[in-house]
Amino acid sequence: MNNQRKGRDININMACSKSNLNIGIPRAISYYNNYPFYYGFFSKLGIEIILSDKTTTETINNGSKYVVSDTCLPIKVFVGHVINLLDKGCEKIFIPSIQSTDYKINNCSKIRGLPEIIRNVLDKPFQIIEPTLDKTEGIGLKTFCFDIAKEFGITDKNLIESAISYGWNIYNKFCEMTKSGIPQQEALKNAINENIIKKNVELVRPISVVIMAHGYNLFDERISLNLINKLEKMGVKVFTSLNITRNEAINSIHELGEIQYWANELDLTGTAAYYMLNKKVDGIIALSAFGCGPDSLMVDEIQYHAKERNMPMLHLTIDEHTGEAGFITRIEAFIDMLIRSKRKLLQKQHNNLKILREPKKTIEKNKVLTDSLA
Ligand code: SF4
């Protein structure tokens, strides 16, 4: 039996159907890294996915009302998305507890305890589908997926296993496209339609930067204030964690002499390290949430290595009050500085080249200059 739904629009904006076989997925936190897998898995099981709407200021305000003010912005946003799904009439909402993604590679306490946070702050009648992934404790993806299926009364082992492999199939297509430079949303749309598209010839841009950030901060256009788009409009080439493989990120962390501890470290330390070590960019931009413990450690670590290698770095911290004007000013100032440094460097290289090509003429010219200054 093939329950898969092809070509489903990812911007579903409708009330939940009355069928029991549907699940609300908040467009936040693990959505940004794992949705291609979730999509394949649920659709193969015949479970309809209801996505929350894209983040808006209202989503943030709604979520902020329910949690203490020093909670990080992504968690406030997550709460706002759950409220949005409840408003759509969803009765089952997917809120996994992702404890560790590899042996002793942990998530922060807020992501680990996400189902508990939601249960405690939202006193509303709905069911939380809360499978646990904890590779440190030997609870892997298979158990995670079987636990989800059980909540819908699905116990057919073959069907669940084929849903898992279909999830990987969609996920791998997504990764193949993002690695080649296809933007995140475009790759997602094509992956769930089972397409693979190739990137057209890349324009050469004079300045390039890598952004180190969690996917849920960077690819949520409201949270990141559309940072990628703003940089591209300035003519900057942008690299992110989606442009490298997991192994490239892990190896780069080791090459820096660091060890991976946080689950999201590949998006931050690993990505920045890869581009810094391979000298592929002119600068690094760190985008982190105010009050995030893991981010402050990772950004500090990269700042230290960037300083040692003379790599310029800008650290942008965001919360629900971050204003667009100040944000743009800081980015523009950073890019201006990168342009000036690059111009100076190119001028220096050009002069050195000239000395190599025309040593006699240049030395004579320098002598005249030195004599005139004497
Ligand atoms: S890693 Fe940081 S930003 Fe992400 S949920 Fe945890 S505290 Fe918040």
Side-chain angles (χ1 to χ4, degrees):
M1 188 171 70
N2 186 1
N3 286 321
Q4 128 202 0
R5 292 182 172 86
K6 279 189 180 183
R8 186 167 167 71
D9 183 0
I10 56 166
N11 288 313
I12 304 161
N13 191 2
M14 50 174 270
C16 289
S17 79
K18 291 292 165 205
S19 143
N20 247 348
L21 286 188
N22 69 49
I23 188 161
I25 298 189
R27 204 188 283 258
I29 304 284
S30 75
Y31 162 85
Y32 284 96
N33 283 350
N34 302 341
Y35 185 68
F37 179 85
Y38 297 157
Y39 175 84
F41 176 72
F42 285 115
S43 58
K44 191 76 173 178
L45 289 182
I47 299 170
E48 182 184 12
I49 294 174
I50 313 295
L51 271 179
S52 55
D53 299 329
K54 285 188 175 176
T55 309
T56 59
T57 303
E58 197 190 348
T59 322
I60 300 176
N61 292 342
N62 286 343
S64 302
K65 279 185 215 152
Y66 287 90
V67 289
V68 290
S69 61
D70 57 1
T71 307
C72 66
L73 180 60
I75 297 296
K76 290 176 180 164
V77 169
F78 190 88
V79 178
H81 280 275
V82 175
I83 294 169
N84 179 258
L85 288 170
L86 292 173
D87 289 345
K88 287 173 181 240
C90 287
E91 289 165 0
K92 289 185 184 201
I93 299 184
F94 182 60
I95 308 177
S97 169
I98 304 181
Q99 304 277 327
S100 59
T101 53
D102 251 315
Y103 184 66
K104 290 197 173 170
I105 304 293
N106 301 303
N107 260 319
C108 78
S109 56
K110 290 173 191 128
I111 293 183
R112 295 168 75 129
L114 210 43
E116 287 307 320
I117 295 179
I118 297 299
R119 210 182 334 272
N120 282 297
V121 300
L122 294 180
D123 184 19
K124 304 200 189 246
F126 68 100
Q127 186 188 351
I128 299 180
I129 304 295
E130 47 180 317
T132 298
L133 185 80
D134 192 349
K135 293 206 176 167
T136 306
E137 295 299 323
I139 306 170
L141 187 71
K142 197 167 170 186
T143 311
F144 179 89
C145 291
F146 271 73
D147 285 352
I148 298 171
K150 208 162 117 198
E151 295 290 345
F152 291 87
I154 300 170
T155 50
D156 180 339
K157 189 171 171 277
N158 291 338
L159 175 63
I160 301 170
E161 280 175 355
S162 78
I164 296 174
S165 52
Y166 187 58
W168 279 122
N169 176 21
I170 301 285
Y171 182 80
N172 291 335
K173 283 192 168 71
F174 170 76
C175 292
E176 193 180 323
M177 284 185 275
T178 53
K179 171 113 183 19
S180 76
I182 304 289
Q184 195 253 3
Q185 278 299 304
E186 207 181 329
L188 180 56
K189 215 168 175 173
N190 280 285
I192 68 179
N193 283 324
E194 297 199 55
N195 285 338
I196 292 213
I197 52 166
K198 300 270 177 238
K199 183 127 177 95
N200 291 332
V201 181
E202 186 71 59
L203 286 176
V204 178
R205 297 182 186 249
I207 293 290
S208 58
V209 297
V210 58
I211 305 178
M212 58 180 283
H214 299 281
Y216 49 79
N217 284 335
L218 182 57
F219 301 115
D220 183 319
E221 291 173 2
R222 173 60 187 81
I223 294 188
S224 71
L225 297 169
N226 223 341
L227 176 61
I228 296 180
N229 197 268
K230 284 187 170 67
L231 287 164
E232 285 179 347
K233 277 191 180 156
M234 290 176 198
V236 176
K237 170 78 191 147
V238 179
F239 294 98
T240 71
S241 59
L242 294 180
N243 303 125
I244 60 171
T245 62
R246 185 182 154 75
N247 281 345
E248 283 170 334
I250 294 174
N251 293 341
S252 304
I253 293 175
H254 296 160
E255 234 182 286
L256 274 189
E258 303 288 350
I259 45 167
Q260 189 194 352
Y261 178 77
W262 300 105
N264 286 311
E265 202 147 350
L266 301 184
D267 294 346
L268 287 105
T269 328
T271 304
Y274 175 83
Y275 284 97
M276 184 164 58
L277 290 168
N278 290 291
K279 296 192 176 63
K280 285 195 167 173
V281 288
D282 301 297
I284 302 170
I285 296 181
L287 179 77
S288 69
F290 178 76
C292 171
D295 280 13
S296 59
L297 294 173
M298 289 184 262
V299 171
D300 267 8
E301 206 169 275
I302 288 297
Q303 244 158 0
Y304 167 80
H305 290 287
K307 205 170 169 189
E308 276 203 325
R309 289 165 176 79
N310 268 332
M311 171 74 72
M313 180 163 169
L314 170 70
H315 183 193
L316 298 166
T317 312
I318 36 166
D319 66 12
E320 61 272 40
H321 307 297
T322 303
E324 193 144 9
F327 195 74
I328 295 178
T329 309
R330 293 197 62 199
I331 301 166
E332 282 178 346
F334 182 65
I335 300 302
D336 269 2
M337 186 269 289
L338 293 185
I339 292 173
R340 272 186 276 116
S341 312
K342 195 150 187 180
R343 202 177 281 144
K344 244 189 202 165
L345 184 75
L346 289 177
Q347 187 66 51
K348 205 170 151 194
Q349 284 170 353
H350 176 76
N351 289 346
N352 289 346
L353 211 63
K354 229 167 138 187
I355 292 174
L356 285 177
R357 279 199 191 131
E358 308 169 25
K360 207 171 158 216
K361 211 169 145 194
T362 315
I363 290 166
E364 273 166 11
K365 201 169 145 200
N366 282 348
K367 193 170 177 303
V368 173
L369 191 68
T370 323
D371 289 350
S372 70
L373 288 172

